[in-house]
Amino acid sequence: MLSLLTPRLLSRTTFFTRTMSTHSHLTDDCIFCKIIRGEIPSFKLVETDKSYSFMDIGPLSEGHALVIPKYHAEFFHQVPDEYLADILPVAKKIAKASKLDQYNVLQNNGKLANQVPHVHFHVIPKPNEKEGLGIRWEPNGMKMDQVKELYEKVKKELD
């Protein structure tokens, strides 16, 4: 993603910048934290006290947007609940305003899942078979007793 932020692109006057953030939960070297602070311009859609959303500059389809918490965390489970509670209503507003018929809301965790190290949610329009998110969904063949064993382990940790 960093390679997409060329000097020519950054100098375009069509980008919108925001006022400086007072959030102390951001880091100095994260591209998304820099966008939140207004150090890197973005096409801002919705901003709340806890989240910031903008158009993806490397979209999978027309209208692809990102929603990010104003809290730097690499993994979903590290983000405080009050920030997470703010994100889905913002994603919903974007989907409704974009008048999307079909779309994906996606959140990745870790390098193997293609994530940059700041939690973010994608709202990705799916206008046809080729555009938008392509997903491989192949069940791994777990037996019911394996599913039950895993269920019991996870359920024990939830109690």
Side-chain angles (χ1 to χ4, degrees):
M1 178 163 186
L2 289 174
S3 63
L4 295 173
L5 298 173
T6 63
R8 185 173 128 306
L9 184 60
L10 287 174
S11 67
R12 288 186 182 169
T13 57
T14 55
F15 270 151
F16 296 99
T17 58
R18 63 172 309 282
T19 57
M20 294 300 287
S21 174
T22 58
H23 291 271
S24 60
H25 309 293
L26 304 176
T27 64
D28 291 335
D29 59 348
C30 169
I31 188 169
F32 288 163
C33 291
K34 289 178 180 182
I35 289 171
I36 291 167
R37 285 193 305 270
E39 296 169 11
I40 295 176
S42 68
F43 292 108
K44 179 173 71 170
L45 294 169
V46 178
E47 181 176 17
T48 69
D49 187 45
K50 303 241 183 292
S51 60
Y52 186 93
S53 64
F54 55 100
M55 300 302 292
D56 193 310
I57 61 170
L60 295 181
S61 58
E62 188 174 306
H64 183 165
L66 298 175
V67 183
I68 58 178
K70 290 182 175 179
Y71 186 99
H72 182 83
E74 186 170 351
F75 296 98
F76 176 76
H77 64 272
Q78 297 169 335
V79 179
D81 289 347
E82 62 267 24
Y83 289 84
L84 294 174
D86 194 63
I87 289 173
L88 286 181
V90 171
K92 178 181 172 181
K93 281 182 182 181
I94 293 167
K96 284 179 74 173
S98 301
K99 301 187 183 328
L100 303 178
D101 291 326
Q102 298 184 56
Y103 57 94
N104 297 92
V105 176
L106 173 70
Q107 197 280 316
N108 300 315
N109 288 276
K111 288 182 181 180
L112 290 177
N114 298 310
Q115 183 215 14
V116 299
H118 186 118
V119 169
H120 59 286
F121 291 74
H122 296 261
V123 178
I124 308 168
K126 187 68 176 161
N128 56 54
E129 287 287 326
K130 287 189 166 194
E131 294 179 85
L133 183 65
I135 297 178
R136 175 187 57 87
W137 198 284
E138 298 173 16
N140 69 0
M142 283 182 74
K143 304 289 184 210
M144 194 57 65
D145 58 332
Q146 294 171 302
V147 173
K148 183 180 179 197
E149 183 181 332
L150 181 59
Y151 157 79
E152 290 169 353
K153 287 179 185 177
V154 172
K155 184 69 175 159
K156 182 179 177 181
E157 292 297 320
L158 290 171
D159 293 334

